[in-house]
Amino acid sequence: MINLRNARNESRKLMLNGNNKLSVIIPFCNSEKYIGKCIESVLNQTYKDIEVLLVGNCSTDSSISICESFASKDSRLRVIIEEKSGAAAARNRGIKESQGAYITFVDSDDYIEASMYEKLVDNLENTQSDMACCSFYYVYEDGSFTDWYEPTLGKYIGKSPVVTGRECANLFLTSRDIEGFCWNKLFRKSIICDHGLSFDESKIAFEDMLFIFNYLNQCKNIVLVDEKLYYYRQNSGSLTKDTRKERRVEFTDTVNKIVDKANEVGLTGEAKCYKAVRIMYDSFDKLRAGNKIKEYLPEEINIFSAAYLIIRYQKTEKIKTLCKLAYCLVRS
């Protein structure tokens, strides 16, 4: 856990002074192929009161010089070099260095709609919410769109786009609509600092899932923005496509910590559903990739219990999830 005492005090001063600045934190490492488009999409935002923190670590390509070139032309950009490796350390450093009342993140190989931050900030301020969340596109490297499930938030918006923090935590556990990504969300820095929230620097993947769930449990209200405003690029070098054994250990550890937190706040059934579905989806992906999972699937998933939990709690793609569960059973 990083020491955020000074950042907490600064955040309170900023809020008292009526600061509406948004700090956009972009971690980068060997991102020369994509980072230019990423930065341009942030600088071209219709919401202008931003600072952009480009936090690099371990880059050996031209990423740093590209970032410095942008920074020399726009005073809203700062290039920061973090000695510790990993996106978690870069994000934590960005939080510590940030000066805005609001914080968001962008991955260096992604890009965003020009109106994204204006819409998120307006919704956050108009509803006095603690977090704003929008949907996103999955995009292949060639710019074409995938046919994967993308979050649809409209179904949860009745007379108001605002849901409680607990309702959103429930959706996080039981649907694919409040994903564990930090880049399609707008946060209040005061909540991050007051509760000492940070990204787990021991992990190189899945570090944002636990951060998001911990943040949700500190929120009173969250506003849902039913628009796709972020482009999540699926490239061949993505960490989320890594099949290393260490990746699975990190994934399982993160899921278990989220389950522990969910049990702590009284979402016990939802936690069981979350664990079963997450492990099953991971197993399904492994099987589709041609890997064998016989050695661990029976220990992690009780097929009939998982089916019951999916039927009772799962709010999205219920039939598809049950079919994938059956696929895992047959192939294992």
mmCIF file with all atom_site columns, all heavy atoms in Angstrom, residues 229-248:
data_model
loop_
_atom_site.group_PDB
_atom_site.id
_atom_site.type_symbol
_atom_site.label_atom_id
_atom_site.label_alt_id
_atom_site.label_comp_id
_atom_site.label_asym_id
_atom_site.label_entity_id
_atom_site.label_seq_id
_atom_site.pdbx_PDB_ins_code
_atom_site.Cartn_x
_atom_site.Cartn_y
_atom_site.Cartn_z
_atom_site.occupancy
_atom_site.B_iso_or_equiv
_atom_site.pdbx_formal_charge
_atom_site.auth_seq_id
_atom_site.auth_comp_id
_atom_site.auth_asym_id
_atom_site.auth_atom_id
_atom_site.pdbx_PDB_model_num
ATOM 1   N N   . LEU A 1 229 ? -17.684 4.734   -25.205 1.00 0.00 ? 229 LEU A N   1
ATOM 2   C CA  . LEU A 1 229 ? -16.820 5.899   -25.390 1.00 0.00 ? 229 LEU A CA  1
ATOM 3   C C   . LEU A 1 229 ? -15.329 5.552   -25.398 1.00 0.00 ? 229 LEU A C   1
ATOM 4   O O   . LEU A 1 229 ? -14.499 6.432   -25.647 1.00 0.00 ? 229 LEU A O   1
ATOM 5   C CB  . LEU A 1 229 ? -17.093 6.927   -24.280 1.00 0.00 ? 229 LEU A CB  1
ATOM 6   C CG  . LEU A 1 229 ? -18.535 7.436   -24.189 1.00 0.00 ? 229 LEU A CG  1
ATOM 7   C CD1 . LEU A 1 229 ? -18.716 8.290   -22.934 1.00 0.00 ? 229 LEU A CD1 1
ATOM 8   C CD2 . LEU A 1 229 ? -18.919 8.217   -25.435 1.00 0.00 ? 229 LEU A CD2 1
ATOM 9   N N   . TYR A 1 230 ? -14.999 4.297   -25.162 1.00 0.00 ? 230 TYR A N   1
ATOM 10  C CA  . TYR A 1 230 ? -13.602 3.869   -25.048 1.00 0.00 ? 230 TYR A CA  1
ATOM 11  C C   . TYR A 1 230 ? -13.356 2.727   -26.033 1.00 0.00 ? 230 TYR A C   1
ATOM 12  O O   . TYR A 1 230 ? -14.202 1.854   -26.204 1.00 0.00 ? 230 TYR A O   1
ATOM 13  C CB  . TYR A 1 230 ? -13.326 3.407   -23.613 1.00 0.00 ? 230 TYR A CB  1
ATOM 14  C CG  . TYR A 1 230 ? -11.873 3.152   -23.285 1.00 0.00 ? 230 TYR A CG  1
ATOM 15  C CD1 . TYR A 1 230 ? -11.107 4.113   -22.634 1.00 0.00 ? 230 TYR A CD1 1
ATOM 16  C CD2 . TYR A 1 230 ? -11.258 1.948   -23.604 1.00 0.00 ? 230 TYR A CD2 1
ATOM 17  C CE1 . TYR A 1 230 ? -9.771  3.886   -22.320 1.00 0.00 ? 230 TYR A CE1 1
ATOM 18  C CE2 . TYR A 1 230 ? -9.928  1.705   -23.292 1.00 0.00 ? 230 TYR A CE2 1
ATOM 19  C CZ  . TYR A 1 230 ? -9.187  2.673   -22.659 1.00 0.00 ? 230 TYR A CZ  1
ATOM 20  O OH  . TYR A 1 230 ? -7.864  2.430   -22.341 1.00 0.00 ? 230 TYR A OH  1
ATOM 21  N N   . TYR A 1 231 ? -12.174 2.730   -26.661 1.00 0.00 ? 231 TYR A N   1
ATOM 22  C CA  . TYR A 1 231 ? -11.799 1.692   -27.619 1.00 0.00 ? 231 TYR A CA  1
ATOM 23  C C   . TYR A 1 231 ? -10.670 0.845   -27.021 1.00 0.00 ? 231 TYR A C   1
ATOM 24  O O   . TYR A 1 231 ? -9.535  1.308   -26.898 1.00 0.00 ? 231 TYR A O   1
ATOM 25  C CB  . TYR A 1 231 ? -11.359 2.322   -28.938 1.00 0.00 ? 231 TYR A CB  1
ATOM 26  C CG  . TYR A 1 231 ? -12.482 3.059   -29.640 1.00 0.00 ? 231 TYR A CG  1
ATOM 27  C CD1 . TYR A 1 231 ? -12.789 4.382   -29.306 1.00 0.00 ? 231 TYR A CD1 1
ATOM 28  C CD2 . TYR A 1 231 ? -13.247 2.429   -30.617 1.00 0.00 ? 231 TYR A CD2 1
ATOM 29  C CE1 . TYR A 1 231 ? -13.822 5.054   -29.933 1.00 0.00 ? 231 TYR A CE1 1
ATOM 30  C CE2 . TYR A 1 231 ? -14.293 3.099   -31.253 1.00 0.00 ? 231 TYR A CE2 1
ATOM 31  C CZ  . TYR A 1 231 ? -14.574 4.407   -30.901 1.00 0.00 ? 231 TYR A CZ  1
ATOM 32  O OH  . TYR A 1 231 ? -15.606 5.074   -31.514 1.00 0.00 ? 231 TYR A OH  1
ATOM 33  N N   . TYR A 1 232 ? -11.019 -0.373  -26.654 1.00 0.00 ? 232 TYR A N   1
ATOM 34  C CA  . TYR A 1 232 ? -10.097 -1.293  -25.977 1.00 0.00 ? 232 TYR A CA  1
ATOM 35  C C   . TYR A 1 232 ? -9.461  -2.193  -27.036 1.00 0.00 ? 232 TYR A C   1
ATOM 36  O O   . TYR A 1 232 ? -10.067 -3.124  -27.530 1.00 0.00 ? 232 TYR A O   1
ATOM 37  C CB  . TYR A 1 232 ? -10.885 -2.101  -24.948 1.00 0.00 ? 232 TYR A CB  1
ATOM 38  C CG  . TYR A 1 232 ? -10.123 -3.142  -24.171 1.00 0.00 ? 232 TYR A CG  1
ATOM 39  C CD1 . TYR A 1 232 ? -8.753  -3.044  -23.952 1.00 0.00 ? 232 TYR A CD1 1
ATOM 40  C CD2 . TYR A 1 232 ? -10.791 -4.235  -23.617 1.00 0.00 ? 232 TYR A CD2 1
ATOM 41  C CE1 . TYR A 1 232 ? -8.068  -3.989  -23.218 1.00 0.00 ? 232 TYR A CE1 1
ATOM 42  C CE2 . TYR A 1 232 ? -10.122 -5.189  -22.880 1.00 0.00 ? 232 TYR A CE2 1
ATOM 43  C CZ  . TYR A 1 232 ? -8.757  -5.064  -22.687 1.00 0.00 ? 232 TYR A CZ  1
ATOM 44  O OH  . TYR A 1 232 ? -8.091  -6.022  -21.966 1.00 0.00 ? 232 TYR A OH  1
ATOM 45  N N   . ARG A 1 233 ? -8.219  -1.893  -27.373 1.00 0.00 ? 233 ARG A N   1
ATOM 46  C CA  . ARG A 1 233 ? -7.548  -2.586  -28.459 1.00 0.00 ? 233 ARG A CA  1
ATOM 47  C C   . ARG A 1 233 ? -7.076  -3.978  -28.026 1.00 0.00 ? 233 ARG A C   1
ATOM 48  O O   . ARG A 1 233 ? -6.469  -4.148  -26.963 1.00 0.00 ? 233 ARG A O   1
ATOM 49  C CB  . ARG A 1 233 ? -6.356  -1.759  -28.947 1.00 0.00 ? 233 ARG A CB  1
ATOM 50  C CG  . ARG A 1 233 ? -5.824  -2.197  -30.309 1.00 0.00 ? 233 ARG A CG  1
ATOM 51  C CD  . ARG A 1 233 ? -4.480  -1.533  -30.591 1.00 0.00 ? 233 ARG A CD  1
ATOM 52  N NE  . ARG A 1 233 ? -4.539  -0.087  -30.604 1.00 0.00 ? 233 ARG A NE  1
ATOM 53  C CZ  . ARG A 1 233 ? -4.766  0.661   -31.683 1.00 0.00 ? 233 ARG A CZ  1
ATOM 54  N NH1 . ARG A 1 233 ? -5.005  0.068   -32.828 1.00 0.00 ? 233 ARG A NH1 1
ATOM 55  N NH2 . ARG A 1 233 ? -4.770  1.979   -31.608 1.00 0.00 ? 233 ARG A NH2 1
ATOM 56  N N   . GLN A 1 234 ? -7.353  -4.956  -28.874 1.00 0.00 ? 234 GLN A N   1
ATOM 57  C CA  . GLN A 1 234 ? -6.928  -6.324  -28.630 1.00 0.00 ? 234 GLN A CA  1
ATOM 58  C C   . GLN A 1 234 ? -5.714  -6.618  -29.510 1.00 0.00 ? 234 GLN A C   1
ATOM 59  O O   . GLN A 1 234 ? -5.849  -6.893  -30.699 1.00 0.00 ? 234 GLN A O   1
ATOM 60  C CB  . GLN A 1 234 ? -8.061  -7.294  -28.948 1.00 0.00 ? 234 GLN A CB  1
ATOM 61  C CG  . GLN A 1 234 ? -9.348  -7.002  -28.205 1.00 0.00 ? 234 GLN A CG  1
ATOM 62  C CD  . GLN A 1 234 ? -9.148  -7.047  -26.710 1.00 0.00 ? 234 GLN A CD  1
ATOM 63  O OE1 . GLN A 1 234 ? -8.843  -8.091  -26.141 1.00 0.00 ? 234 GLN A OE1 1
ATOM 64  N NE2 . GLN A 1 234 ? -9.324  -5.911  -26.057 1.00 0.00 ? 234 GLN A NE2 1
ATOM 65  N N   . ASN A 1 235 ? -4.530  -6.517  -28.930 1.00 0.00 ? 235 ASN A N   1
ATOM 66  C CA  . ASN A 1 235 ? -3.331  -6.764  -29.724 1.00 0.00 ? 235 ASN A CA  1
ATOM 67  C C   . ASN A 1 235 ? -2.631  -8.037  -29.271 1.00 0.00 ? 235 ASN A C   1
ATOM 68  O O   . ASN A 1 235 ? -2.855  -8.542  -28.172 1.00 0.00 ? 235 ASN A O   1
ATOM 69  C CB  . ASN A 1 235 ? -2.373  -5.561  -29.672 1.00 0.00 ? 235 ASN A CB  1
ATOM 70  C CG  . ASN A 1 235 ? -1.894  -5.258  -28.265 1.00 0.00 ? 235 ASN A CG  1
ATOM 71  O OD1 . ASN A 1 235 ? -1.156  -6.026  -27.670 1.00 0.00 ? 235 ASN A OD1 1
ATOM 72  N ND2 . ASN A 1 235 ? -2.325  -4.122  -27.722 1.00 0.00 ? 235 ASN A ND2 1
ATOM 73  N N   . SER A 1 236 ? -1.789  -8.539  -30.101 1.00 0.00 ? 236 SER A N   1
ATOM 74  C CA  . SER A 1 236 ? -1.167  -9.845  -29.876 1.00 0.00 ? 236 SER A CA  1
ATOM 75  C C   . SER A 1 236 ? -0.261  -9.868  -28.660 1.00 0.00 ? 236 SER A C   1
ATOM 76  O O   . SER A 1 236 ? -0.004  -10.923 -28.087 1.00 0.00 ? 236 SER A O   1
ATOM 77  C CB  . SER A 1 236 ? -0.363  -10.266 -31.111 1.00 0.00 ? 236 SER A CB  1
ATOM 78  O OG  . SER A 1 236 ? 0.601   -9.273  -31.439 1.00 0.00 ? 236 SER A OG  1
ATOM 79  N N   . GLY A 1 237 ? 0.220   -8.706  -28.222 1.00 0.00 ? 237 GLY A N   1
ATOM 80  C CA  . GLY A 1 237 ? 1.129   -8.676  -27.085 1.00 0.00 ? 237 GLY A CA  1
ATOM 81  C C   . GLY A 1 237 ? 0.460   -8.370  -25.766 1.00 0.00 ? 237 GLY A C   1
ATOM 82  O O   . GLY A 1 237 ? 1.125   -8.152  -24.754 1.00 0.00 ? 237 GLY A O   1
ATOM 83  N N   . SER A 1 238 ? -0.878  -8.350  -25.749 1.00 0.00 ? 238 SER A N   1
ATOM 84  C CA  . SER A 1 238 ? -1.604  -7.965  -24.544 1.00 0.00 ? 238 SER A CA  1
ATOM 85  C C   . SER A 1 238 ? -1.340  -8.912  -23.393 1.00 0.00 ? 238 SER A C   1
ATOM 86  O O   . SER A 1 238 ? -1.314  -10.121 -23.549 1.00 0.00 ? 238 SER A O   1
ATOM 87  C CB  . SER A 1 238 ? -3.105  -7.922  -24.829 1.00 0.00 ? 238 SER A CB  1
ATOM 88  O OG  . SER A 1 238 ? -3.833  -7.702  -23.644 1.00 0.00 ? 238 SER A OG  1
ATOM 89  N N   . LEU A 1 239 ? -1.160  -8.333  -22.195 1.00 0.00 ? 239 LEU A N   1
ATOM 90  C CA  . LEU A 1 239 ? -0.947  -9.159  -21.004 1.00 0.00 ? 239 LEU A CA  1
ATOM 91  C C   . LEU A 1 239 ? -2.134  -10.067 -20.734 1.00 0.00 ? 239 LEU A C   1
ATOM 92  O O   . LEU A 1 239 ? -1.977  -11.178 -20.226 1.00 0.00 ? 239 LEU A O   1
ATOM 93  C CB  . LEU A 1 239 ? -0.709  -8.265  -19.779 1.00 0.00 ? 239 LEU A CB  1
ATOM 94  C CG  . LEU A 1 239 ? 0.694   -7.707  -19.592 1.00 0.00 ? 239 LEU A CG  1
ATOM 95  C CD1 . LEU A 1 239 ? 0.699   -6.751  -18.403 1.00 0.00 ? 239 LEU A CD1 1
ATOM 96  C CD2 . LEU A 1 239 ? 1.707   -8.812  -19.374 1.00 0.00 ? 239 LEU A CD2 1
ATOM 97  N N   . THR A 1 240 ? -3.335  -9.616  -21.080 1.00 0.00 ? 240 THR A N   1
ATOM 98  C CA  . THR A 1 240 ? -4.517  -10.417 -20.784 1.00 0.00 ? 240 THR A CA  1
ATOM 99  C C   . THR A 1 240 ? -4.578  -11.673 -21.649 1.00 0.00 ? 240 THR A C   1
ATOM 100 O O   . THR A 1 240 ? -5.367  -12.568 -21.375 1.00 0.00 ? 240 THR A O   1
ATOM 101 C CB  . THR A 1 240 ? -5.800  -9.598  -20.998 1.00 0.00 ? 240 THR A CB  1
ATOM 102 O OG1 . THR A 1 240 ? -5.812  -9.091  -22.332 1.00 0.00 ? 240 THR A OG1 1
ATOM 103 C CG2 . THR A 1 240 ? -5.879  -8.455  -20.009 1.00 0.00 ? 240 THR A CG2 1
ATOM 104 N N   . LYS A 1 241 ? -3.747  -11.750 -22.685 1.00 0.00 ? 241 LYS A N   1
ATOM 105 C CA  . LYS A 1 241 ? -3.694  -12.951 -23.512 1.00 0.00 ? 241 LYS A CA  1
ATOM 106 C C   . LYS A 1 241 ? -2.560  -13.878 -23.076 1.00 0.00 ? 241 LYS A C   1
ATOM 107 O O   . LYS A 1 241 ? -2.343  -14.929 -23.661 1.00 0.00 ? 241 LYS A O   1
ATOM 108 C CB  . LYS A 1 241 ? -3.488  -12.557 -24.980 1.00 0.00 ? 241 LYS A CB  1
ATOM 109 C CG  . LYS A 1 241 ? -4.568  -11.640 -25.516 1.00 0.00 ? 241 LYS A CG  1
ATOM 110 C CD  . LYS A 1 241 ? -5.903  -12.350 -25.551 1.00 0.00 ? 241 LYS A CD  1
ATOM 111 C CE  . LYS A 1 241 ? -6.979  -11.464 -26.142 1.00 0.00 ? 241 LYS A CE  1
ATOM 112 N NZ  . LYS A 1 241 ? -7.303  -10.301 -25.329 1.00 0.00 ? 241 LYS A NZ  1
ATOM 113 N N   . ASP A 1 242 ? -1.820  -13.494 -22.063 1.00 0.00 ? 242 ASP A N   1
ATOM 114 C CA  . ASP A 1 242 ? -0.693  -14.269 -21.574 1.00 0.00 ? 242 ASP A CA  1
ATOM 115 C C   . ASP A 1 242 ? -1.193  -15.572 -20.946 1.00 0.00 ? 242 ASP A C   1
ATOM 116 O O   . ASP A 1 242 ? -2.095  -15.574 -20.130 1.00 0.00 ? 242 ASP A O   1
ATOM 117 C CB  . ASP A 1 242 ? 0.067   -13.435 -20.525 1.00 0.00 ? 242 ASP A CB  1
ATOM 118 C CG  . ASP A 1 242 ? 1.430   -14.010 -20.216 1.00 0.00 ? 242 ASP A CG  1
ATOM 119 O OD1 . ASP A 1 242 ? 1.677   -15.170 -20.557 1.00 0.00 ? 242 ASP A OD1 1
ATOM 120 O OD2 . ASP A 1 242 ? 2.237   -13.281 -19.615 1.00 0.00 ? 242 ASP A OD2 1
ATOM 121 N N   . THR A 1 243 ? -0.582  -16.690 -21.323 1.00 0.00 ? 243 THR A N   1
ATOM 122 C CA  . THR A 1 243 ? -1.002  -17.985 -20.794 1.00 0.00 ? 243 THR A CA  1
ATOM 123 C C   . THR A 1 243 ? 0.017   -18.562 -19.808 1.00 0.00 ? 243 THR A C   1
ATOM 124 O O   . THR A 1 243 ? 0.000   -19.748 -19.517 1.00 0.00 ? 243 THR A O   1
ATOM 125 C CB  . THR A 1 243 ? -1.218  -18.989 -21.943 1.00 0.00 ? 243 THR A CB  1
ATOM 126 O OG1 . THR A 1 243 ? -0.005  -19.113 -22.700 1.00 0.00 ? 243 THR A OG1 1
ATOM 127 C CG2 . THR A 1 243 ? -2.344  -18.523 -22.866 1.00 0.00 ? 243 THR A CG2 1
ATOM 128 N N   . ARG A 1 244 ? 0.912   -17.743 -19.306 1.00 0.00 ? 244 ARG A N   1
ATOM 129 C CA  . ARG A 1 244 ? 1.908   -18.241 -18.355 1.00 0.00 ? 244 ARG A CA  1
ATOM 130 C C   . ARG A 1 244 ? 1.245   -18.787 -17.092 1.00 0.00 ? 244 ARG A C   1
ATOM 131 O O   . ARG A 1 244 ? 0.160   -18.365 -16.703 1.00 0.00 ? 244 ARG A O   1
ATOM 132 C CB  . ARG A 1 244 ? 2.867   -17.110 -17.942 1.00 0.00 ? 244 ARG A CB  1
ATOM 133 C CG  . ARG A 1 244 ? 3.690   -16.524 -19.065 1.00 0.00 ? 244 ARG A CG  1
ATOM 134 C CD  . ARG A 1 244 ? 4.485   -15.329 -18.573 1.00 0.00 ? 244 ARG A CD  1
ATOM 135 N NE  . ARG A 1 244 ? 3.595   -14.342 -17.977 1.00 0.00 ? 244 ARG A NE  1
ATOM 136 C CZ  . ARG A 1 244 ? 3.567   -14.070 -16.676 1.00 0.00 ? 244 ARG A CZ  1
ATOM 137 N NH1 . ARG A 1 244 ? 4.354   -14.697 -15.833 1.00 0.00 ? 244 ARG A NH1 1
ATOM 138 N NH2 . ARG A 1 244 ? 2.723   -13.156 -16.214 1.00 0.00 ? 244 ARG A NH2 1
ATOM 139 N N   . LYS A 1 245 ? 1.936   -19.704 -16.429 1.00 0.00 ? 245 LYS A N   1
ATOM 140 C CA  . LYS A 1 245 ? 1.432   -20.262 -15.178 1.00 0.00 ? 245 LYS A CA  1
ATOM 141 C C   . LYS A 1 245 ? 1.291   -19.170 -14.132 1.00 0.00 ? 245 LYS A C   1
ATOM 142 O O   . LYS A 1 245 ? 0.332   -19.159 -13.345 1.00 0.00 ? 245 LYS A O   1
ATOM 143 C CB  . LYS A 1 245 ? 2.383   -21.360 -14.684 1.00 0.00 ? 245 LYS A CB  1
ATOM 144 C CG  . LYS A 1 245 ? 1.910   -22.041 -13.408 1.00 0.00 ? 245 LYS A CG  1
ATOM 145 C CD  . LYS A 1 245 ? 2.866   -23.153 -13.010 1.00 0.00 ? 245 LYS A CD  1
ATOM 146 C CE  . LYS A 1 245 ? 2.389   -23.836 -11.730 1.00 0.00 ? 245 LYS A CE  1
ATOM 147 N NZ  . LYS A 1 245 ? 3.311   -24.931 -11.328 1.00 0.00 ? 245 LYS A NZ  1
ATOM 148 N N   . GLU A 1 246 ? 2.237   -18.202 -14.105 1.00 0.00 ? 246 GLU A N   1
ATOM 149 C CA  . GLU A 1 246 ? 2.188   -17.122 -13.133 1.00 0.00 ? 246 GLU A CA  1
ATOM 150 C C   . GLU A 1 246 ? 0.921   -16.277 -13.314 1.00 0.00 ? 246 GLU A C   1
ATOM 151 O O   . GLU A 1 246 ? 0.369   -15.766 -12.345 1.00 0.00 ? 246 GLU A O   1
ATOM 152 C CB  . GLU A 1 246 ? 3.429   -16.231 -13.256 1.00 0.00 ? 246 GLU A CB  1
ATOM 153 C CG  . GLU A 1 246 ? 4.719   -16.893 -12.811 1.00 0.00 ? 246 GLU A CG  1
ATOM 154 C CD  . GLU A 1 246 ? 5.355   -17.749 -13.904 1.00 0.00 ? 246 GLU A CD  1
ATOM 155 O OE1 . GLU A 1 246 ? 4.727   -17.912 -14.982 1.00 0.00 ? 246 GLU A OE1 1
ATOM 156 O OE2 . GLU A 1 246 ? 6.459   -18.255 -13.684 1.00 0.00 ? 246 GLU A OE2 1
ATOM 157 N N   . ARG A 1 247 ? 0.482   -16.153 -14.546 1.00 0.00 ? 247 ARG A N   1
ATOM 158 C CA  . ARG A 1 247 ? -0.723  -15.385 -14.820 1.00 0.00 ? 247 ARG A CA  1
ATOM 159 C C   . ARG A 1 247 ? -1.920  -16.011 -14.122 1.00 0.00 ? 247 ARG A C   1
ATOM 160 O O   . ARG A 1 247 ? -2.739  -15.311 -13.525 1.00 0.00 ? 247 ARG A O   1
ATOM 161 C CB  . ARG A 1 247 ? -0.970  -15.314 -16.324 1.00 0.00 ? 247 ARG A CB  1
ATOM 162 C CG  . ARG A 1 247 ? -2.295  -14.659 -16.711 1.00 0.00 ? 247 ARG A CG  1
ATOM 163 C CD  . ARG A 1 247 ? -2.623  -14.923 -18.185 1.00 0.00 ? 247 ARG A CD  1
ATOM 164 N NE  . ARG A 1 247 ? -3.934  -14.398 -18.545 1.00 0.00 ? 247 ARG A NE  1
ATOM 165 C CZ  . ARG A 1 247 ? -5.081  -15.012 -18.293 1.00 0.00 ? 247 ARG A CZ  1
ATOM 166 N NH1 . ARG A 1 247 ? -5.083  -16.175 -17.664 1.00 0.00 ? 247 ARG A NH1 1
ATOM 167 N NH2 . ARG A 1 247 ? -6.229  -14.461 -18.657 1.00 0.00 ? 247 ARG A NH2 1
ATOM 168 N N   . ARG A 1 248 ? -2.023  -17.335 -14.206 1.00 0.00 ? 248 ARG A N   1
ATOM 169 C CA  . ARG A 1 248 ? -3.151  -18.010 -13.565 1.00 0.00 ? 248 ARG A CA  1
ATOM 170 C C   . ARG A 1 248 ? -3.092  -17.859 -12.050 1.00 0.00 ? 248 ARG A C   1
ATOM 171 O O   . ARG A 1 248 ? -4.116  -17.707 -11.395 1.00 0.00 ? 248 ARG A O   1
ATOM 172 C CB  . ARG A 1 248 ? -3.180  -19.489 -13.944 1.00 0.00 ? 248 ARG A CB  1
ATOM 173 C CG  . ARG A 1 248 ? -4.334  -20.202 -13.269 1.00 0.00 ? 248 ARG A CG  1
ATOM 174 C CD  . ARG A 1 248 ? -4.658  -21.540 -13.878 1.00 0.00 ? 248 ARG A CD  1
ATOM 175 N NE  . ARG A 1 248 ? -5.806  -22.108 -13.176 1.00 0.00 ? 248 ARG A NE  1
ATOM 176 C CZ  . ARG A 1 248 ? -7.064  -21.805 -13.428 1.00 0.00 ? 248 ARG A CZ  1
ATOM 177 N NH1 . ARG A 1 248 ? -7.352  -20.934 -14.357 1.00 0.00 ? 248 ARG A NH1 1
ATOM 178 N NH2 . ARG A 1 248 ? -8.054  -22.363 -12.749 1.00 0.00 ? 248 ARG A NH2 1
#
